Amino acid sequence: MTGVAIAFWVLAAVAVLCSLLVITSRNPVASVLYLVVTFFCLAGLFVTLHSHFLAAIQVIVYAGAIMVLFLFVVMLLNLGTPQWFDVATTPLKAVALVLGIGFVGALAAAGVGDFEPSATGPAAGVHPDVLGSTEAIATALYSAYYLPFLVTALLLLVAMVGAVVLARRER
Amino acid sequence: MTDWTGIGISLLKAFLVFFGVVNVVPILVWAERRGSAFIQHRLGPNRVNIAGITLFGLVQPLADVVKFIWKEDYVPSHANRAFYVLAPVMLLIPAAMTFAVIPFADDLVIAGRTIKMQVADLNVGILYVFALTSLAVYGIVLAGWSSNNKYSLLGAIRSSAQMISYELALGLSVVGILMIYASVQLDDIVRGQGELLFGILPKWGVVTQPVAFFLFLAAIFAESNRLPFDLPEAENELVVGYHTEYSAMKFAIFFMAEYMAMVTGAMLIVTLFFGGWQIPWVESAELKATVGEIPAFLLQLGAFSAKVLFFLWLFIWVRWTLPRFRYDQLMRLGWKAILPLALANLFVTGIVLYFT
């Protein structure tokens, strides 16, 4: 196994384990922290794909900003260990279980057979340092994807203004 | 073929930089105590000695370390034990990782091998720093929450709000610098600052982006939780905020992380705004041709260290000079003054760059 393959399997295993712990742990703060670890593993996976910029953004935006807000809210509400998760088995749960297993099965059937982690590098002929670099992403964003980039920015601005309007107290 | 010499050099660099920064911490604590004493017209710690040698009080940090190690490491019974133990570690790790991208001298050429004087020359450069500084908040928030103490929790909540608010200002104030030196890699930014502006002024960040420098300075003070922005631990309101319940070595780790954040802050200010290792009016290539490779390296390292030490002293100086902000003043300053100013600065920089 190459170094990249080892890194892939370790990161992927930790990511899957931690995302399972996110939904199974009883303590909401622990869930938040497991999710942070998951995001870290994803960032690590981006690094093995030579997408350094994406990895940095993953940590800055998800681990550094959004999850801090989550933690902030969880702490403010101070949920502790909730009791209301232990509800009796409902038909809905059975349906969710079947659908979930089906979804994982479909993913496994589609991907696992011809999956080779050491082949997940950049395409042939592209220098690996160029592909996911800050310069490459900036060039793509400001040339080929200029309009979508602007529209997304506008959308975020609208969402921000909306949040401010909703949060403003009536005078 | 594996380049074992290269790997060895990288490990050595990582070790030396980490070793250097960790050892600056006790000296800084000493400087803080002696400095505050100097500012307040006191003497400060000067009695601890080994066989009569006090070294201006520099033996005091050794005594402090011994005390921290041997004190009772007490975990309150009402605390959430796992998170309580985890919190100081989560604060220290990002603080100890940030130095990796800071260049501290020009490339060294020895026996045909070019050694970058930087632990890791990452393509994402400054974004790596921002990613790590944004993680520091977890340690503080967890410490406050797991202590299960209202003062600690209030400190933690204040700190998360403060750090999120000032992270924006921190990021935006740097974008102007990135535009002027056309790179996010700190090495390129330092190289860009080696030129002269109009033939007389060094093209340092503080000359090309004076507004950004002051905004960045304010934001970095807030990010490292130093006065006048130390609301998370405001002692006359919150005992000491998020680390109220901590004792012994765990408390010492919080202390270390704060001082390491200070060192990072000073290094960033120097790298982005004061030319990093550049000696003003002396070109690196010329210097190397005149005095030789190794002396030039030492001179540049010395220039970098001197600049960093000045800003570390500035941190201490400000702490013992200015009073603390009120919480609403802090938020208003961050969102209504620093953020719009940073955006305006960015806009003006863009226009100027477009027409030149």
Side-chain angles (χ1 to χ4, degrees), chain B residues 43-103:
Chain B
L43 281 173
N46 67 345
R47 297 300 165 92
V48 177
N49 64 74
I50 298 171
I53 302 164
T54 59
L55 277 174
F56 316 104
L58 259 174
V59 183
Q60 179 76 36
L62 287 178
D64 287 344
V65 170
V66 173
K67 188 188 83 172
F68 276 131
I69 291 174
W70 292 103
K71 267 184 99 169
E72 184 187 359
D73 197 352
Y74 182 71
V75 180
S77 57
H78 52 78
N80 189 328
R81 204 185 163 90
F83 293 128
Y84 181 86
V85 176
L86 190 66
V89 182
M90 284 189 73
L91 191 62
L92 188 66
I93 290 176
M97 279 172 71
T98 325
F99 319 108
V101 289
I102 310 263

Side-chain angles (χ1 to χ4, degrees), chain B residues 127-261:
Chain B
L127 293 175
Y128 170 84
V129 177
F130 288 150
L132 285 176
T133 49
S134 67
L135 294 176
V137 69
Y138 282 109
I140 293 179
V141 168
L142 265 188
W145 178 82
S146 66
S147 297
N148 212 352
N149 168 326
K150 58 176 171 258
Y151 296 120
S152 301
L153 186 67
L154 275 174
I157 287 172
R158 278 184 181 187
S159 119
S160 52
Q162 176 181 327
M163 287 182 100
I164 291 177
S165 307
Y166 278 83
E167 238 159 58
L168 283 172
L170 192 74
L172 276 178
S173 57
V174 174
V175 177
I177 289 281
L178 304 184
M179 283 157 75
I180 288 179
Y181 300 106
S183 178
V184 288
Q185 274 158 283
L186 293 172
D187 196 38
D188 292 348
I189 293 174
V190 173
R191 260 168 232 289
Q193 295 182 71
E195 292 160 22
L196 287 181
L197 204 62
F198 315 121
I200 32 166
L201 279 173
K203 200 185 170 189
W204 284 1
V206 70
V207 179
T208 52
Q209 287 275 295
V211 181
F213 165 64
F214 287 106
L215 300 177
F216 187 79
L217 193 67
I220 211 90
F221 269 82
E223 280 292 306
S224 55
N225 288 323
R226 294 279 299 183
L227 254 141
F229 300 102
D230 73 335
L231 272 296
E233 43 177 295
E235 60 269 78
N236 46 3
E237 306 161 29
L238 300 177
V239 193
V240 279
Y242 59 90
H243 58 62
T244 304
E245 300 282 8
Y246 283 84
S247 59
M249 211 53 209
K250 292 202 190 71
F251 169 74
I253 289 178
F254 279 113
F255 222 70
M256 270 171 73
E258 181 186 324
Y259 282 94
M260 279 176 143

